[in-house]
Amino acid sequence: MEYAHNGKFVTFEGCEGVGKSTQIRMLEEYFEAHGIDALFTREPGGTEVGERIRGLLKDESLDMCPETELLLFEAARSENTARVIIPALEAGRIVIADRYIDSTTAYQSYGRGLDRGVVERLNAYATHGVRIDLTIFLDAPPFANTHRTASDRMELAGREFHDRVYAGYREAGEESGRFAFIRTRESKTETAAAVIDVLREHGILP
């Protein structure tokens, strides 16, 4: 059942190394400068339980099966949604999430090869029926905008894995009807301006 709320729920998605964290930080600075009330959260994370799970999922020394990885992501999501996201939406706030269900579809289904139907059922269960109003997808191949060295389990998964993730995002995003595909620019400021334009077009910002 879909959960009705008075706020606006926006998720940010993208492959590794495309500048997603930078754009979210710039958006947060824009909101603060313009007095716009919003809650920023991340997945996995957002709560004490979620942050502890995040540590496990990013630990490159751990070898876990794909099913375990999936369930850990969903556990963190359920906690964050129930304790952080839903209360903010009920209060009529804008919520900006750094990753949400589409990451799990792209990474665990397309990337790891887990059954998409199972992934989507678990996504639905863990979100408590919350509806996403808009998903901003930074549309660039993995590691397109960074020169950093891979440093966690997901980044170290290999190029073929990340290519499958990118293809999965493209396919699932086009199916969903709520994706705004934003091609990243050479200038971070130009990309940030495109994000603001999309938020206005979809009624998130005035």
Side-chain angles (χ1 to χ4, degrees), residues 52-103:
R52 292 190 184 190
I53 292 173
R54 183 183 184 89
L56 291 172
L57 286 164
K58 285 188 167 289
D59 189 343
E60 69 273 14
S61 70
L62 293 178
D63 181 21
M64 65 179 70
C65 67
E67 291 82 2
T68 300
E69 181 180 84
L70 168 64
L71 292 170
L72 285 172
F73 274 113
E74 299 292 5
R77 174 168 302 132
S78 178
E79 188 77 0
N80 193 29
T81 301
R83 296 188 180 274
V84 176
I85 295 173
I86 286 177
L89 292 173
E90 286 181 336
R93 301 178 71 188
I94 298 172
V95 176
I96 308 291
D98 181 353
R99 299 197 182 283
Y100 203 60
I101 56 173
D102 300 295
S103 282

Side-chain angles (χ1 to χ4, degrees), residues 2-156:
E2 192 172 272
Y3 180 88
H5 58 76
N6 296 319
K8 295 292 184 181
F9 188 23
V10 178
T11 61
F12 265 78
E13 298 287 354
C15 297
E16 307 296 330
V18 299
K20 179 174 56 60
S21 297
T22 297
Q23 288 303 317
I24 292 172
R25 185 177 66 252
M26 293 176 73
L27 182 62
E28 189 167 10
E29 291 170 355
Y30 176 91
F31 278 21
E32 290 175 356
H34 289 80
I36 300 169
D37 180 37
L39 171 74
F40 285 74
T41 188
R42 68 177 182 176
E43 286 209 344
T47 65
E48 182 178 356
V49 170
E51 292 297 331
R52 292 190 184 190
I53 292 173
R54 183 183 184 89
L56 291 172
L57 286 164
K58 285 188 167 289
D59 189 343
E60 69 273 14
S61 70
L62 293 178
D63 181 21
M64 65 179 70
C65 67
E67 291 82 2
T68 300
E69 181 180 84
L70 168 64
L71 292 170
L72 285 172
F73 274 113
E74 299 292 5
R77 174 168 302 132
S78 178
E79 188 77 0
N80 193 29
T81 301
R83 296 188 180 274
V84 176
I85 295 173
I86 286 177
L89 292 173
E90 286 181 336
R93 301 178 71 188
I94 298 172
V95 176
I96 308 291
D98 181 353
R99 299 197 182 283
Y100 203 60
I101 56 173
D102 300 295
S103 282
T104 309
T105 299
Y107 280 80
Q108 277 66 58
S109 181
Y110 287 87
R112 299 295 192 202
L114 296 178
D115 182 86
R116 184 172 171 183
V118 171
V119 170
E120 291 181 346
R121 286 193 294 274
L122 287 171
N123 279 343
Y125 185 71
T127 56
H128 304 270
V130 166
R131 170 181 52 82
I132 301 169
D133 293 291
L134 173 67
T135 296
I136 293 176
F137 177 61
L138 296 183
D139 191 3
F143 305 105
N145 298 325
T146 187
H147 301 290
R148 73 173 187 266
T149 303
S151 60
D152 64 37
R153 286 184 62 257
M154 213 59 73
E155 291 181 352
L156 290 164

Side-chain angles (χ1 to χ4, degrees), residues 152-167:
D152 64 37
R153 286 184 62 257
M154 213 59 73
E155 291 181 352
L156 290 164
R159 186 70 196 202
E160 290 185 1
F161 169 83
H162 288 289
D163 286 344
R164 292 195 300 272
V165 168
Y166 180 48

Side-chain angles (χ1 to χ4, degrees), residues 102 105 110 116 135 137 167-181:
D102 300 295
T105 299
Y110 287 87
R116 184 172 171 183
T135 296
F137 177 61
Y169 265 130
R170 294 281 311 173
E171 182 175 330
E174 289 171 359
E175 290 175 2
S176 76
R178 59 175 159 75
F179 265 47
F181 293 87

